[in-house]
Amino acid sequence: MYAYADGIFFQDDLYLSDNEDFSPAAKEVFLGKFGKELTVETLKDESIRKQWTDVKVQVMQDLTLKLMKAFRTYRPYSFFARGIYPEAILDKAAQERYGQNYRNYLDTYDYTIVMTNPLNDKQSENFPAWLGNLAQAAFAEPDAGEKVVFMINTFDFRENSWIKDKELKEQVDALRRKGAVNFTYYPEMTLEDKTTT
């Protein structure tokens, strides 16, 4: 209540994979909705699995809406953003794997933060081209426009090294060519004076 903040960023950790959630609460909800026990075998039914994914997407979205409402009590002019994995934009079937729905993000939050880390080594071979495809897919959704923010990694955690400025510029340029206008970067190690230029 007393700390000044412009808004909240719900990070990409807010997701449930297709193999989560088998908690007692989830089992109770599942039984009430489908009249069956929540098991791996039950989820092999494609129709049930899709509906269950929709439930998980809605539950996580409802949680953020409650938090947003509480936050706006003290900061009525605040903004809200939520992070999404690139795979959930590039492949609609990936919604099941992450419990993330890109259209819902655009409709619910002021900004959708698209994580730009490559999903595998094959994509990182021609990273700028992959980024261009990601941006093109992101902007294919109606009303995406300025609501989409691309998060650029400044540190390569696989190689344990900082990414060179030239490579970062290539990434930003690849996204800009497809219409991207909003960018952020991660990480910024202010205590170690590690930032990008």
Side-chain angles (χ1 to χ4, degrees), residues 10 13 26 51 70 76 83 90 93 95 107 111 116 118 136 138 149 184 189:
F10 301 107
D13 292 336
Q51 291 179 67
L90 292 168
Q95 176 178 314
D107 292 338
Y111 298 101
T116 62
Q136 186 170 331
V149 180
T184 184
M189 309 296 285

Coordinates of all heavy atoms in Angstrom, one line a residue, residues 10 13 26 51 70 76 83 90 93 95 107 111 116 118 136 138 149 184 189:
F10 N 3.6 -10.3 -14.3 CA 3.5 -11.7 -13.9 C 4.4 -12.5 -14.8 O 4.2 -12.6 -16.0 CB 2.0 -12.2 -14.1 CG 1.0 -11.4 -13.3 CD1 0.2 -10.5 -13.9 CD2 0.9 -11.6 -11.9 CE1 -0.7 -9.8 -13.2 CE2 0.0 -10.9 -11.2 CZ -0.8 -9.9 -11.8
D13 N 7.0 -17.8 -15.1 CA 6.9 -19.0 -14.2 C 5.4 -19.3 -13.9 O 5.2 -20.4 -13.4 CB 7.6 -18.7 -12.9 CG 9.1 -18.6 -13.2 OD1 9.6 -19.1 -14.1 OD2 9.8 -17.9 -12.4
A26 N -6.9 -29.9 -7.3 CA -7.2 -30.2 -8.7 C -8.0 -31.4 -9.0 O -8.9 -31.4 -9.8 CB -5.8 -30.3 -9.5
Q51 N -10.4 -29.7 -22.5 CA -11.2 -28.9 -21.6 C -10.5 -28.7 -20.3 O -10.6 -27.6 -19.7 CB -12.5 -29.7 -21.3 CG -13.4 -29.8 -22.5 CD -14.7 -30.6 -22.1 OE1 -15.5 -30.2 -21.3 NE2 -14.8 -31.8 -22.8
A70 N -6.9 -6.1 -6.6 CA -6.4 -5.7 -5.3 C -5.4 -4.6 -5.4 O -5.4 -3.6 -4.7 CB -5.8 -6.9 -4.5
P76 N -4.7 2.9 -8.9 CA -5.8 2.7 -9.9 C -5.3 2.9 -11.4 O -6.0 2.4 -12.3 CB -6.8 3.8 -9.5 CG -6.1 4.8 -8.7 CD -5.0 4.0 -8.0
G83 N 4.2 -12.7 -18.8 CA 5.2 -13.3 -19.7 C 4.7 -14.6 -20.3 O 3.9 -15.3 -19.7
L90 N 4.1 -19.7 -31.4 CA 4.4 -20.3 -32.6 C 3.6 -21.6 -32.9 O 3.4 -22.0 -34.1 CB 5.9 -20.7 -32.6 CG 6.9 -19.5 -32.6 CD1 8.3 -20.0 -32.3 CD2 6.9 -18.8 -34.0
A93 N -0.9 -25.7 -30.4 CA -1.0 -26.9 -29.7 C -0.2 -26.9 -28.4 O -0.4 -27.6 -27.5 CB -0.5 -28.1 -30.5
Q95 N -0.4 -24.8 -26.2 CA -1.2 -24.3 -25.0 C -1.3 -25.3 -24.0 O -1.2 -25.1 -22.8 CB -2.6 -23.8 -25.5 CG -3.5 -23.4 -24.4 CD -4.8 -23.0 -24.8 OE1 -4.9 -22.2 -25.8 NE2 -5.9 -23.4 -24.2
D107 N -6.0 -10.0 -24.5 CA -7.3 -9.5 -24.1 C -7.3 -9.1 -22.6 O -8.2 -8.3 -22.2 CB -8.4 -10.6 -24.3 CG -8.7 -10.8 -25.8 OD1 -8.4 -10.0 -26.6 OD2 -9.2 -11.9 -26.1
Y111 N 0.1 -5.4 -21.4 CA 1.3 -5.9 -22.2 C 1.5 -7.4 -22.1 O 1.3 -7.9 -21.0 CB 2.6 -5.1 -21.8 CG 2.5 -3.7 -21.9 CD1 2.3 -2.8 -20.8 CD2 2.6 -3.1 -23.2 CE1 2.2 -1.4 -21.0 CE2 2.6 -1.7 -23.3 CZ 2.3 -0.9 -22.2 OH 2.3 0.5 -22.4
T116 N 12.1 -14.3 -25.6 CA 12.7 -14.6 -26.9 C 13.9 -15.6 -26.9 O 14.6 -15.8 -27.9 CB 13.3 -13.3 -27.5 OG1 14.3 -12.8 -26.7 CG2 12.2 -12.3 -27.7
P118 N 15.6 -19.1 -27.5 CA 15.3 -20.1 -28.4 C 14.9 -21.4 -27.7 O 15.3 -21.7 -26.6 CB 16.6 -20.3 -29.2 CG 17.7 -19.8 -28.3 CD 17.0 -18.7 -27.5
Q136 N 6.5 -12.3 -36.5 CA 5.5 -12.4 -37.5 C 4.3 -13.1 -36.9 O 3.1 -12.7 -37.1 CB 6.0 -13.1 -38.7 CG 5.1 -13.1 -39.9 CD 5.7 -13.6 -41.2 OE1 6.9 -13.4 -41.4 NE2 4.9 -14.2 -42.0
A138 N 3.5 -13.4 -33.7 CA 2.9 -12.6 -32.7 C 2.0 -11.5 -33.2 O 0.9 -11.3 -32.7 CB 4.0 -12.0 -31.8
V149 N 5.6 -6.9 -26.1 CA 7.0 -6.5 -25.7 C 7.9 -7.7 -25.8 O 7.6 -8.8 -25.3 CB 7.0 -6.0 -24.3 CG1 8.4 -5.5 -23.9 CG2 6.0 -4.8 -24.1
T184 N 12.4 -5.1 -23.9 CA 13.0 -5.1 -22.6 C 14.1 -6.1 -22.6 O 14.2 -6.9 -23.6 CB 11.9 -5.4 -21.5 OG1 12.6 -5.2 -20.2 CG2 11.4 -6.8 -21.6
M189 N 22.5 -6.7 -14.2 CA 23.1 -7.0 -12.9 C 23.7 -5.6 -12.4 O 24.9 -5.3 -12.5 CB 24.2 -8.0 -13.0 CG 23.8 -9.3 -13.7 SD 22.5 -10.2 -12.8 CE 23.5 -10.9 -11.5

